[in-house]
């Protein structure tokens, strides 16, 4: 999609009488053009820059992941949640550092979300911890994890280039980085008034790539603070920016506040693949994006710091990104 077409998309939904968010078309990035070395790549990098700066999300087409790999991953997710309670219970734990964790408590932001979270890269290190039930879970989810990571790496390099830092800016740190899969399950909307699956939040990493079985994701327009209902054709991937990319870009790109609402006709599963730097690698605001007008706006932090932050008292009053923001008055 050209920059002209990109900028012609209206990102702000018109007000609707019943207060429901209007479905909004997200900016579209043609992934196949990022593989080219001519002007097509540069045009797409400009589109990435516009999308990241204006709204913090975009959708990816021509990413090369087959429909069957995506469908098999979603069916593995669905089959896991449908498996006997006893096989899921094995993964329940209050310890957020566990390699695999299942939670159906609906506590905190998980209004009516059950989820399975596990690391996915390097796959050979983590897959042995993944569920054995259903028996095809590891193979189906493993294949998706590998393929989505290839797309994520390419997109993160493109985003670095779009910031003017150059795609090789972080050296091998992206390749050595973390991949966390949040596999989510939401019931169908049945009770009027109980519409929220997952409360508003932002994701900690550089980017999240989301694959849902049906609509339900909403993102907040950063300017108007109006909720937008994300429309995602079955073969596209939804990408949004996380807290650590906001910090690295020194606020040029903003983390995306999003939530999931329940679908009126279907239960829903989604797979969020979260990508960031390695567990103990500190993310800092890029020096190249700091000057007198733009002083450093974020404290440095790692994924480990994020995990330490979650159970802390500070979490009650602040989001993680707020805890990183340096108060101008400090
Ligand atoms: O299910 C969705 O649409 C959103 C999931 C999400 O935000 C997450 O897993 O962090
Ligand atoms: Fe999220």
């Amino acid at each position: 999609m050209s920059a002209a077409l990109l900028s012609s998309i209206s990102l702000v939904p018109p007000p609707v009488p019943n207060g429901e968010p209007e479905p909004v078309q997200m900016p579209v990035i043609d992934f196949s053009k990022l593989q080219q070395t001519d002007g097509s790549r540069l045009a797409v990098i400009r589109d990435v820059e516009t999308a990241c700066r204006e709204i913090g999300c975009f959708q990816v087409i021509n990413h090369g992941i087959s429909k069957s790999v995506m469908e098999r991953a979603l069916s593995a997710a669905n089959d896991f949640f449908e498996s006997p309670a006893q096989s899921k219970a094995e993964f329940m734990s209050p310890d957020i550092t566990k390699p695999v964790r299942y939670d159906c408590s609906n506590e905190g932001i998980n209004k009516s979300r059950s989820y399975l979270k596990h690391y996915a890269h390097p796959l050979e290190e983590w897959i042995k911890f993944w569920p054995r039930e259903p028996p095809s879970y590891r193979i189906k989810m493993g294949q998706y994890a590998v393929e989505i990571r290839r797309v994520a790496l390419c997109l993160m390099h493109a985003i670095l280039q779009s910031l003017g830092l150059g795609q090789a800016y972080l050296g091998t740190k992206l390749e050595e980085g973390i991949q966390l899969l949040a596999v989510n399950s939401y019931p169908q909307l049945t009770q009027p008034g109980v519409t929220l699956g997952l409360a508003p939040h932002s994701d900690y990493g550089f980017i999240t790539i989301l694959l849902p079985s049906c609509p339900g994701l909403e993102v907040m327009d950063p300017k108007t603070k109006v909720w937008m209902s994300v429309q995602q054709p079955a073969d596209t991937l939804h990408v949004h920016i996380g807290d650590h990319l906001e910090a690295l870009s020194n606020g040029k790109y903003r983390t995306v506040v999003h939530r999931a609402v329940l679908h009126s006709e279907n239960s829903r599963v989604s797979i969020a693949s979260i990508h960031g730097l390695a567990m103990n690698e500190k993310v800092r605001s890029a020096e190249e994006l700091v000057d007198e007008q733009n002083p450093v706006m974020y404290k440095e932090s790692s994924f480990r710091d994020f995990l330490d932050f979650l159970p802390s008292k500070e979490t009650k009053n602040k989001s993680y990104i707020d805890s990183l923001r340096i108060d101008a008055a400090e």
Side-chain angles (χ1 to χ4, degrees):
M1 171 177 273
S2 70
L5 190 47
L6 186 85
S7 54
S8 72
I9 292 170
S10 164
L11 299 175
V12 182
V16 275
N18 62 3
E20 293 283 314
E22 184 78 355
V24 173
Q25 153 103 64
M26 292 286 140
V28 176
I29 296 300
D30 185 343
F31 188 81
S32 64
K33 295 198 176 144
L34 285 175
Q35 319 305 315
Q36 296 169 7
T37 45
D38 59 7
S40 319
R41 176 174 167 96
L42 281 183
V44 178
I45 297 290
R46 276 197 295 276
D47 287 350
V48 168
E49 198 270 337
T50 308
C52 290
R53 188 170 33 76
E54 291 195 346
I55 185 175
C57 25
F58 52 83
Q59 288 182 353
V60 179
I61 56 167
N62 298 329
H63 42 69
I65 304 183
S66 71
K67 212 168 159 227
S68 85
V69 167
M70 303 202 310
E71 282 173 358
R72 279 157 52 90
L74 288 171
S75 81
N78 196 56
D79 292 350
F80 169 78
F81 291 109
E82 305 254 291
S83 65
Q86 203 184 343
S87 51
K88 292 179 287 199
E90 156 188 6
F91 299 106
M92 284 178 180
S93 170
D95 180 357
I96 56 170
T97 64
K98 287 263 186 213
V100 182
R101 230 159 31 90
Y102 170 68
D103 186 348
C104 61
S105 64
N106 295 154
E107 280 169 4
I109 64 169
N110 305 302
K111 298 296 174 202
S112 37
R113 169 179 84 150
S114 302
Y115 66 85
L116 177 74
K117 282 189 186 174
H118 53 64
Y119 296 99
H121 177 78
L123 189 63
E124 60 286 3
E125 193 177 310
W126 300 113
I127 198 166
K128 54 180 179 282
F129 299 111
W130 291 11
R132 285 185 195 281
E133 271 307 317
S136 60
Y137 184 89
R138 291 183 181 183
I139 184 89
K140 288 177 175 171
M141 199 57 81
Q143 191 176 9
Y144 177 72
V146 168
E147 297 212 17
I148 202 73
R149 189 174 144 78
R150 169 185 59 76
V151 173
L153 282 175
C154 188
L155 291 175
M156 289 190 288
H157 288 297
I159 290 172
L160 290 176
Q161 186 175 354
S162 77
L163 283 165
L165 298 170
Q167 50 175 317
Y169 180 72
L170 288 167
T172 56
K173 285 183 187 172
L174 289 178
E175 280 70 15
E176 290 155 10
I178 235 166
Q179 177 183 16
L180 180 70
L181 292 186
V183 183
N184 305 309
S185 166
Y186 308 92
Q188 182 184 346
L189 173 71
T190 47
Q191 284 168 273
V194 185
T195 55
L196 207 50
L198 179 59
H201 68 284
S202 62
D203 297 341
Y204 95 91
F206 275 0
I207 60 170
T208 297
I209 306 186
L210 190 82
L211 176 66
S213 63
C214 64
L217 176 69
E218 294 184 355
V219 299
M220 188 186 271
D221 184 300
K223 296 186 194 95
T224 61
K225 310 293 179 210
V226 170
W227 286 107
M228 301 181 288
S229 168
V230 172
Q231 300 306 293
Q232 183 171 355
D235 51 353
T236 66
L237 297 166
H238 172 90
V239 178
H240 58 232
I241 282 173
D243 298 348
H244 270 159
L245 192 58
E246 172 168 336
L248 177 96
S249 73
N250 200 31
K252 185 169 176 205
Y253 297 164
R254 290 296 176 118
T255 194
V256 172
V257 178
H258 56 283
R259 66 182 183 182
V261 295
L262 304 184
H263 194 278
S264 56
E265 281 152 35
N266 298 299
S267 58
R268 176 172 182 265
V269 288
S270 72
I271 306 169
S273 187
I274 299 170
H275 302 264
L277 296 191
M279 182 66 84
N280 294 314
E281 192 68 56
K282 296 280 187 189
V283 176
R284 303 180 178 84
S285 298
E287 279 172 25
E288 294 77 353
L289 302 175
V290 171
D291 57 27
E292 254 177 57
Q293 282 78 47
N294 302 288
V296 177
M297 283 167 54
Y298 301 86
K299 295 173 200 157
E300 61 173 34
S301 75
S302 63
F303 182 50
R304 173 89 58 201
D305 296 329
F306 168 70
L307 291 180
D308 290 344
F309 169 83
L310 283 181
S312 73
K313 285 212 183 82
E314 219 187 337
T315 323
K316 297 221 165 21
N317 315 316
K318 270 187 182 167
S319 63
Y320 181 56
I321 189 67
D322 283 342
S323 78
L324 298 183
R325 289 195 178 112
I326 297 172
D327 188 342
E330 263 178 27

